[in-house]
Amino acid sequence: MSILFGKLTLDALPHEWFTIGGTVTVVIGGLGVAALLTYFKRWNWLWREWLTSTDPKRIGIMYIVVASLMLFRGALDAGMIWAHQALSAGASQGYLSPEHFQQIFTAHGAIMIFFVTMGFLFGLMNFILPLQIGARDVAFPLLNTLSFWLYVAGAVLINLFFVVGGEFAAAGWLSMPPLSELQFSPGVGVDY
């Protein structure tokens, strides 16, 4: 098994109550959605009409749905940040370590910018733009579908990271060089 999982063991997974609670909530929610789809016999409909669609209006709706889920995820991060700051009054240090707080802060910024704002923007562009110009479809519908599924893959990976554990970037919202420890040397690699 070490060939398949490497250093990933049960001891390496995070054991904080909020991480375990989030993982359990996501698993129960996913099982609930799967049970509802099975009960109403909607798997074929979902596959044919939505998941493999190249219709820009459907892709726009799917972008907006995923962006709404990521908005909920970003709001949970914001709630954790606010709760930590509320509990950090006086001699109390809050319930997060400083490193974990900075990781949550960075994740909140990345999720809200790249997965919420961009998701809503692309969803509206896919839904409204063809209607505005009177087109039935976009120029490259398969590429449009591929871009949506790559967006979904990024959203899944950024959320799976918190389930599996490890350390997220801790550079803050903007990842500017003083915080991210990136070095800029004038003249290095630049031809004048």
Side-chain angles (χ1 to χ4, degrees), residues 35-56:
L36 285 173
L37 287 170
T38 303
Y39 179 75
F40 291 112
K41 297 179 177 142
R42 292 301 221 173
W43 284 105
N44 286 332
W45 167 82
L46 181 67
W47 179 258
R48 279 183 286 109
E49 298 294 325
W50 288 94
L51 299 181
T52 58
S53 176
T54 57
D55 180 18

Side-chain angles (χ1 to χ4, degrees), residues 153-173:
V156 167
L157 286 175
I158 200 167
N159 286 309
L160 187 63
F161 178 81
F162 291 103
V163 173
V164 173
E167 297 217 356
F168 197 77
W173 267 65

Side-chain angles (χ1 to χ4, degrees), residues 3 9 15 45 54 56 67 72 83 92-93 102 108 110 118 133 140 144 146 153 170 175 180 183:
I3 293 174
T9 63
H15 293 92
W45 167 82
T54 57
F72 178 72
S92 174
Q93 297 295 317
Q102 191 65 18
H108 171 71
M118 300 304 287
I133 63 174
F140 299 103
N144 192 23
L146 177 65
S175 296
S180 63
Q183 301 286 326

Side-chain angles (χ1 to χ4, degrees), residues 93-176:
Q93 297 295 317
Y95 68 97
L96 296 171
S97 68
E99 296 82 18
H100 196 195
F101 177 82
Q102 191 65 18
Q103 291 172 14
I104 296 292
F105 187 74
T106 304
H108 171 71
I111 287 170
M112 295 302 276
I113 291 170
F114 294 114
F115 294 105
V116 176
T117 306
M118 300 304 287
F120 280 126
L121 179 69
F122 291 143
L124 287 174
M125 284 184 349
N126 272 295
F127 193 79
I128 294 173
L129 198 62
L131 295 173
Q132 286 180 331
I133 63 174
R136 290 185 190 168
D137 208 346
V138 293
F140 299 103
L142 188 61
L143 190 60
N144 192 23
T145 304
L146 177 65
S147 70
F148 168 72
W149 287 111
L150 288 174
Y151 167 79
V152 170
V156 167
L157 286 175
I158 200 167
N159 286 309
L160 187 63
F161 178 81
F162 291 103
V163 173
V164 173
E167 297 217 356
F168 197 77
W173 267 65
L174 301 176
S175 296
M176 297 304 261

